[in-house]
Amino acid sequence: MITDHDIVVLGAGLAGMRAALEAARNGTSVAVVTKVHPLRSHSNAAQGGINAAIGEGDTWESHAFDTIKGSDYLADQDAVEIMCREAPADVMEFEHMGVIFYRNAEGKLGTRAFGGASQARTYFVGDITGQALLVTLYDQILKAGVKVYEEWFATSLYMEDGRCRGVVALEMITGELHLLRAKAVINGAGGVGRLYEPSTNALICTGDGYGLAYRAGAPLMDMEMVQYHPTTLAGSGFLMTEAARGEGAYLLNSEGDRFMKTYAPKMVELASRDVVSRSEATEIAAGRGIDGNVLLDLRHLGPEIVLKKLPQVHEMALDYLGLDMLKDPIPVRPGMHYMMGGVKTDANGATQVPGLYAAGEVACVSVHGGNRLGANSLLDTIVFGRHSGKHASEYVKTVPDSKGGERLLKSEQARISDLLARPYTGETHARLRLELATMMDKYVGVYRDEAGLEEALKKQQDLKKRYASVAVGDKGRVYNQALTFALELGYMIDVAETIIRSAILRKESRGAQARTDYPQRNDAEWLKHILVHFRGDKAPEITYLPVTITKWKPEARTY
Amino acid sequence: MEAGGSHVLMKFTIEVGRYNPEGTYADDAKQGAPYPAPWASSPPRRYQSYEVDLPEHAVVLDALIEIREYQDESVAVRCACRSAICGSCAMWVNGHAHLACKSKLQEFTKDGKTRVESPPSMPVIRDLVWDMKPFWDNHRRVTPWLENKPLPPPMQEYRVTNEAMEELIQEVTCISCGCCLMDCESFAVNKDFMGPHALAKAYRYAADPRDDETQKRLGEYSQQGGVWDCTHCFECVQQCPKGVEPLEQILKLRRMAVNAGYTHNAGTRHADAFAESVKHSGRLNELTLLPKSVGFFNVLGQLATLPSAFNMIRAGKLPPIIHKTIPGVKRIKAIFDRVGGRFK
Ligand SMILES: Cc1cc2nc3c(=O)[nH]c(=O)nc-3n(C[C@H](O)[C@H](O)[C@H](O)COP(=O)(O)OP(=O)(O)OC[C@H]3O[C@@H](n4cnc5c(N)ncnc54)[C@H](O)[C@@H]3O)c2cc1C
Ligand code: SF4
Ligand code: SF4
Ligand code: FES
């Protein structure tokens, strides 16, 4: 079936829904396509909060500086300025829309402190900030009458005369393919955490949005910048919040040593995320880990702190490992957490493909550079979600209606039918996915070097070949998840290539890119972005862009 | 040192309620009816058993993922976060609503197996994937957004106390999983009932000091299908994985409605009559026998019920509406006490 809208938004996380709301407010007809119900989006997971320089004595400049320093000077400073200047109004707007933010004694919004920030400027709702924002926004798009196609899985973008004109999507409940034609598409399809094992991300974070945009001709930028969080639970990879270390938890190696003393004598466990992750990885590699983990010890904090201030992590360790933090140290390790790179956009959310916009984790406006600060990501989704909604709704006024698309719909139908009909040769999406994800963690994780990255590329190319014979183990039409998992794996394999190739090229250490063979940051040669362009069967093409510096000159990054 | 016992593998048997509208089933899938099979419109399923080796602390969802990835790709199950945040994996585990990702296999293994299926009170799409349309329809029925009071000056928040906000946070922790609705005994027999989750949401907006339509809302929520149709069966409190305690929000809403003058409406009937008739010791199957004759869809006058409930609690008895000795009894007492506090 073919349906027409002015704008189709791909993804219903915070970025997608914020974009949809803005476009609807501007009088355009908007539809949101999402592979899960909007409230199941990964934005739910965010606990900590959202940053904005609202409080007295705080300034957007201070927020911007912290962000830029945190980014290891790879963020584009003009974009950071926009985000930090506009943050207070955007957070206020969410308050006006109904978010139950924490209040101080005067009844005003109250803050908590967060890593890497020189001031307490994180606004929050208990430990469910993401969920609270997401629910409120969902209710707002219902109010605004935005059409939601939920449990519709996007399989490709529709291009017409060089412009992006819609999305082909699989309606999971019927198995039917649809073309949602539009004058513009806003991509808010979220991150790609599941490309790594373990990861703190939901199982649905498979990078579909990167894959779709990349194949449609939009370059991906700074893909080598993959954030690891130092404390994820052994096995599952669940996030053990930074607040645990904030409250005074120790990290121990197998010899019972508080090893962070050697790596960061001043800050110890409270050094920045990338520093702690690297230290843990070093300990584990040196044989002082325990089954690939180190220990997070909260025993000395006592029940008062653990049960009152960290109830959720206490419960998780108990639920998923059977360990009581009050009595046992718990095994943790660095785990993939966030993707700083993404579809390159300008501050309006426009990508290099006309008619295609992007916002949220899938996009790279370049506000996080080499290392994102906690609580800046939610902010990124709503500020740039709003901008892309606004600019897309202006852009669509200049675009004529589309009449085409049947051919694409037919060829997509044929592609899916072929995939379903493919005979079983022993390759399954699950096994390939696991191989891919553990390989990425091993070679393209916390530490990288030339040899490992080359090995990763070889392995990725090999997996790409094997992927061509993955069979779908379910031949039905109704809610065929084996089919969508197979499609997701395709996106993940593409994204892996862009990450590995960028990491090979960047011969320096900056933020999340820690090259043991190039341990120093090298501003003379590498103060620039790496862009990867899809070139069909050939290797992708690489281009570079200078980093936009406004008033903050790069300096050494010490905490 | 042992890393959390994660290497100790145990064998678990999972019996999965299969339903496939296209009619294809494995040969060894046995015909069966949902447990305990009360729901006329619930289609017959086939039950298929799988064995999985998993760490001893594994949850039901781990088993389902293991099955789906390495044994049978055709098992359909919704899940995303695996950590009780996203609300996707609600299903029936051994005959009650649970999040698969929060249900430990060891605890749920009964007679050597754990049985999972889609809830029989809801339409089913495929296997464990049930149709949430009734849930979202109800969600929309309560006008789930703020109808703002005049906005504060630019760049300023509404000045409200933190206590007023904390009062609402219990509902905001709702992950929209649907566990409450799928086991709600009123909803099971009365498809017009808005259901626990929606009414909890209704409270969240009605009680928000920033909302301008409280009066109108209370009128709407007092209509047929609204707050007076709850039968206090307590299932929503029992099954909610997040402590939302929808019944508590419903009781608070009733109190607001009464204060606003919505006492004499078509939906209100005498509570004790209901309480006496619904002496269901079991679950839905017995309930379904009752409603048409008794017509208890719109029972429970707030004023009549609560005082008697309090008296009984004070007298050391449970309110008659609590029909089972259940582990949550303490919690319902606490709810009545909390809400009761505001009645005095
Ligand atoms: C555990 C954890 C804690 C975090 N805590 C914080 C925090 O405290 N503060 C902070 O600022 N950030 C935090 N983050 C980061 C932040 O939560 C995310 O970066 C952000 O929510 C991403 O939002 P999004 O809108 O871009 O994407 P998502 O919320 O991931 O939404 C993606 C949407 O795209 C849809 N989609 C994807 N592919 C397809 C397809 N093929 N077809 C159709 N639809 C598709 C999905 O269905 C979904 O609706 C945290 C992250 C994690 C993992
Ligand atoms: S207490 Fe009321 S709302 Fe809750 S499950 Fe029972 S009937 Fe439904
Ligand atoms: S109230 Fe509880 S059970 Fe009901 S939808 Fe919300 S979280 Fe789920
Ligand atoms: S998978 Fe998210 S709640 Fe269970």
Side-chain angles (χ1 to χ4, degrees):
Chain A
M1 229 172 63
I2 301 182
T3 337
D4 289 288
H5 302 275
D6 288 339
I7 296 177
V8 168
V9 178
L10 173 59
L14 281 170
M17 290 203 285
R18 187 62 192 83
L21 183 63
E22 195 64 18
R25 282 178 180 168
N26 281 353
T28 39
S29 88
V30 195
V32 174
V33 187
T34 164
K35 66 179 176 179
V36 293
H37 183 277
L39 295 188
R40 316 297 180 218
S41 299
H42 179 58
S43 291
N44 248 337
Q47 305 175 347
I50 181 166
N51 288 337
I54 296 176
E56 266 159 53
D58 200 1
T59 61
W60 72 263
E61 287 94 340
S62 162
H63 183 186
F65 173 70
D66 290 344
T67 302
I68 289 160
K69 178 180 168 190
S71 83
D72 220 348
Y73 295 91
L74 189 64
D76 281 336
Q77 299 186 0
D78 50 349
V80 174
E81 282 191 30
I82 291 173
M83 180 174 85
C84 297
R85 263 182 212 271
E86 297 180 3
D90 276 289
V91 170
M92 275 309 168
E93 191 188 23
F94 269 79
E95 194 279 324
H96 295 165
M97 292 195 296
V99 175
I100 312 282
F101 282 113
Y102 167 78
R103 311 274 159 161
N104 62 21
E106 297 154 58
K108 291 174 153 185
L109 301 187
T111 55
R112 71 165 39 134
F114 230 72
S118 54
Q119 303 237 9
R121 63 167 74 92
T122 302
Y123 294 86
F124 65 100
V125 186
D127 58 1
I128 53 163
T129 310
Q131 185 188 329
L133 297 178
L134 194 70
V135 170
T136 305
L137 191 52
Y138 175 62
D139 287 346
Q140 289 292 318
I141 69 162
L142 290 180
K143 185 180 182 180
V146 170
K147 171 86 187 147
V148 180
Y149 295 98
E150 67 202 39
E151 302 197 312
W152 284 38
F153 184 96
T155 67
S156 67
L157 296 177
Y158 169 44
M159 298 291 296
E160 187 183 288
D161 303 330
R163 299 177 193 240
C164 185
R165 300 301 307 259
V167 174
V168 177
L170 178 75
E171 182 180 4
M172 297 208 43
I173 289 182
T174 59
E176 197 188 338
L177 266 186
H178 300 264
L179 171 62
L180 296 163
R181 227 164 24 196
K183 295 174 180 172
V185 171
I186 303 174
N187 180 349
V192 64
R194 300 318 298 185
L195 179 51
Y196 283 78
E197 185 60 49
S199 161
T200 61
N201 283 203
L203 301 170
I204 49 174
C205 298
T206 52
D208 311 5
Y210 304 83
L212 290 166
Y214 179 57
R215 290 203 168 230
L220 305 184
M221 183 163 98
D222 297 343
M223 292 301 284
E224 69 279 20
M225 295 303 178
V226 180
Q227 182 167 64
Y228 268 65
H229 197 292
T231 54
T232 74
L233 199 59
S236 56
F238 292 136
L239 189 68
M240 296 287 106
T241 174
E242 213 156 89
R245 280 170 292 134
E247 295 295 339
Y250 301 149
L251 287 167
L252 305 177
N253 62 18
S254 61
E255 288 155 16
D257 270 350
R258 230 182 122 187
F259 59 87
M260 282 309 299
K261 284 186 174 155
T262 349
Y263 301 93
K266 271 198 215 131
M267 300 292 283
V268 208
E269 280 86 0
L270 285 176
S272 70
R273 281 181 185 176
D274 50 343
V275 174
V276 182
S277 292
R278 282 195 286 274
S279 313
E280 291 177 4
T282 307
E283 287 294 306
I284 294 166
R288 290 188 294 275
I290 300 130
D291 295 330
N293 301 292
V294 295
L295 296 172
L296 182 68
D297 191 352
L298 287 81
R299 290 174 297 183
H300 56 287
L301 299 180
E304 193 58 19
I305 288 183
V306 174
L307 299 180
K308 286 235 171 82
K309 291 194 164 161
L310 303 163
Q312 185 148 342
V313 290
H314 177 258
E315 190 184 319
M316 274 194 187
L318 207 56
D319 272 3
Y320 298 103
L321 283 184
L323 291 178
D324 180 354
M325 286 178 162
L326 295 171
K327 296 196 205 105
D328 320 288
I330 56 161
V332 296
R333 51 156 294 172
M336 195 282 187
H337 184 58
Y338 183 84
M339 198 57 207
M340 269 105 39
V343 183
K344 194 229 170 323
T345 71
D346 63 17
N348 297 336
T351 70
Q352 295 188 359
V353 169
L356 180 62
Y357 292 73
E361 191 167 336
V362 72
C364 184
V365 213
S366 193
V367 286
H368 309 304
N371 176 61
R372 168 182 73 89
L373 292 191
N376 260 355
S377 166
L378 294 184
L379 181 61
D380 171 12
T381 64
I382 67 172
V383 171
F384 295 105
R386 176 172 54 75
H387 276 284
S388 49
K390 175 162 176 280
H391 288 275
S393 54
E394 278 157 22
Y395 164 83
V396 297
K397 292 182 195 146
T398 66
V399 183
D401 284 338
S402 166
K403 294 274 173 282
E406 289 86 355
R407 267 195 25 224
L408 174 67
L409 190 55
K410 284 226 174 65
S411 72
E412 282 295 282
Q413 272 157 353
R415 181 165 77 103
I416 303 282
S417 299
D418 288 353
L419 191 54
L420 285 173
R422 196 186 280 167
Y424 181 73
T425 58
E427 297 290 13
T428 68
H429 64 80
R431 264 186 287 267
L432 249 58
R433 202 182 217 188
L434 187 64
E435 275 185 51
L436 176 68
T438 45
M439 176 282 277
M440 289 299 285
D441 184 55
K442 182 168 174 201
Y443 297 118
V444 205
V446 177
Y447 279 117
R448 302 147 182 202
D449 63 26
E450 189 87 29
L453 291 170
E454 289 296 347
E455 183 61 32
L457 187 60
K458 236 173 69 198
K459 180 94 190 167
Q460 183 272 341
Q461 295 290 318
D462 179 49
L463 287 168
K464 193 169 168 174
K465 282 201 201 86
R466 287 168 58 195
Y467 175 65
S469 61
V470 164
V472 177
D474 175 14
K475 305 298 174 196
R477 284 282 169 180
V478 175
Y479 223 88
N480 186 336
Q481 293 174 308
L483 173 62
T484 52
F485 293 158
L487 293 168
E488 286 173 352
L489 180 60
Y491 303 130
M492 286 162 79
I493 290 174
D494 278 358
V495 178
E497 178 164 3
T498 66
I499 296 175
I500 300 166
R501 287 195 187 270
S502 307
I504 291 175
L505 286 169
R506 185 173 287 282
K507 295 189 177 13
E508 66 160 348
S509 290
R510 179 188 301 268
Q513 161 100 341
R515 289 278 304 250
T516 50
D517 42 359
Y518 300 94
Q520 300 305 318
R521 193 173 89 189
N522 178 354
D523 286 341
E525 283 171 89
W526 286 105
L527 190 58
K528 61 185 177 192
H529 302 292
I530 303 178
L531 279 73
V532 189
H533 308 253
F534 180 69
R535 288 292 174 262
D537 290 336
K538 290 199 288 275
E541 187 183 327
I542 305 291
T543 58
Y544 298 93
L545 271 181
V547 173
T548 307
I549 308 280
T550 56
K551 51 176 106 147
W552 293 277
K553 301 282 165 276
E555 43 186 68
R557 185 167 159 252
T558 53
Y559 281 101
Chain B
M1 192 193 265
E2 182 61 59
S6 52
H7 295 291
V8 186
L9 290 187
M10 285 179 68
K11 204 172 269 317
F12 295 101
T13 304
I14 317 291
E15 192 179 31
V16 182
R18 308 292 310 265
Y19 169 76
N20 185 336
E22 292 166 288
T24 33
Y25 292 98
D27 293 339
D28 60 344
K30 290 190 288 293
Q31 190 79 39
Y35 171 82
W39 195 249
S41 66
S42 190
R45 302 106 197 264
R46 307 226 185 158
Y47 290 85
Q48 205 170 340
S49 285
Y50 301 89
E51 287 205 339
V52 286
D53 291 320
L54 286 171
E56 55 180 338
H57 298 290
V59 292
V60 170
L61 186 64
D62 294 330
L64 292 171
I65 290 175
E66 184 74 15
I67 292 166
R68 188 172 72 171
E69 295 198 333
Y70 298 107
Q71 297 188 26
D72 184 349
E73 285 190 20
S74 75
V75 175
V77 46
R78 283 193 184 105
C79 58
C81 70
R82 340 145 270 159
S83 54
I85 294 170
C86 75
S88 338
C89 68
M91 61 182 68
W92 253 25
V93 184
N94 292 347
H96 277 284
H98 292 282
L99 293 181
C101 67
K102 212 179 149 65
S103 306
K104 289 229 193 67
L105 276 167
Q106 281 207 49
E107 280 168 28
F108 281 86
T109 300
K110 247 176 58 188
D111 305 329
K113 64 178 187 197
T114 304
R115 175 153 158 178
V116 292
E117 59 206 309
S118 74
S121 55
M122 298 288 173
V124 50
I125 292 166
R126 179 170 178 182
D127 298 339
L128 303 167
V129 176
W130 52 283
D131 190 350
M132 289 199 75
K133 188 171 182 302
F135 182 91
W136 298 118
D137 285 350
N138 283 326
H139 176 103
R140 275 189 296 271
R141 272 169 79 191
V142 303
T143 323
W145 49 75
L146 218 55
E147 299 285 5
N148 285 76
K149 290 220 164 93
L151 286 180
M155 283 309 298
Q156 284 184 32
E157 60 278 74
Y158 286 100
R159 288 285 190 99
V160 292
T161 63
N162 196 46
E163 290 68 46
M165 294 288 100
E166 275 182 350
E167 169 66 23
L168 309 177
I169 212 163
Q170 198 173 353
E171 191 286 326
V172 175
T173 59
C174 169
I175 55 172
S176 301
C177 63
C179 281
C180 54
L181 187 67
M182 68 166 93
D183 276 18
C184 169
E185 300 200 347
S186 180
F187 177 75
V189 293
N190 173 11
K191 291 299 177 211
D192 187 40
F193 182 43
M194 287 175 177
H197 73 290
L199 289 171
K201 174 141 298 228
Y203 173 74
R204 176 248 173 282
Y205 282 110
D208 194 315
R210 298 165 296 180
D211 190 83
D212 212 16
E213 297 280 8
T214 311
Q215 196 69 18
K216 189 163 153 246
R217 288 177 188 276
L218 292 172
E220 282 164 11
Y221 307 153
S222 298
Q223 301 296 312
Q224 185 147 338
V227 285
W228 304 101
D229 281 21
C230 159
T231 65
H232 292 185
C233 77
F234 195 56
E235 286 295 331
C236 57
V237 180
Q238 274 283 96
Q239 303 314 136
C240 175
K242 298 307 261 190
V244 176
E245 311 200 321
L247 173 59
E248 176 167 357
Q249 317 312 321
I250 292 173
L251 295 179
K252 289 191 282 195
L253 208 46
R254 283 187 184 179
R255 182 62 193 162
M256 288 175 79
V258 168
N259 284 344
Y262 296 103
T263 45
H264 299 288
N265 59 69
T268 317
R269 283 188 213 163
H270 199 268
D272 293 343
F274 164 76
E276 251 171 53
S277 34
V278 190
K279 284 230 175 63
H280 40 286
S281 54
R283 295 178 38 76
L284 303 173
N285 44 352
E286 284 181 42
L287 249 188
T288 51
L289 304 175
L290 284 167
K292 280 154 222 122
S293 52
V294 183
F296 67 82
F297 293 166
N298 305 301
V299 289
L300 289 187
Q302 163 72 34
L303 295 170
T305 328
L306 280 180
S308 72
F310 296 139
N311 290 337
M312 300 205 61
I313 291 170
R314 271 187 221 109
K317 286 188 219 150
L318 295 171
I321 43 178
I322 299 172
H323 47 83
K324 289 181 275 186
T325 20
I326 37 181
V329 144
K330 275 207 204 95
R331 277 158 69 207
I332 195 169
K333 272 186 163 183
I335 289 175
F336 274 95
D337 283 341
R338 279 205 296 274
V339 180
R342 295 190 192 102
F343 279 77
K344 286 178 202 142

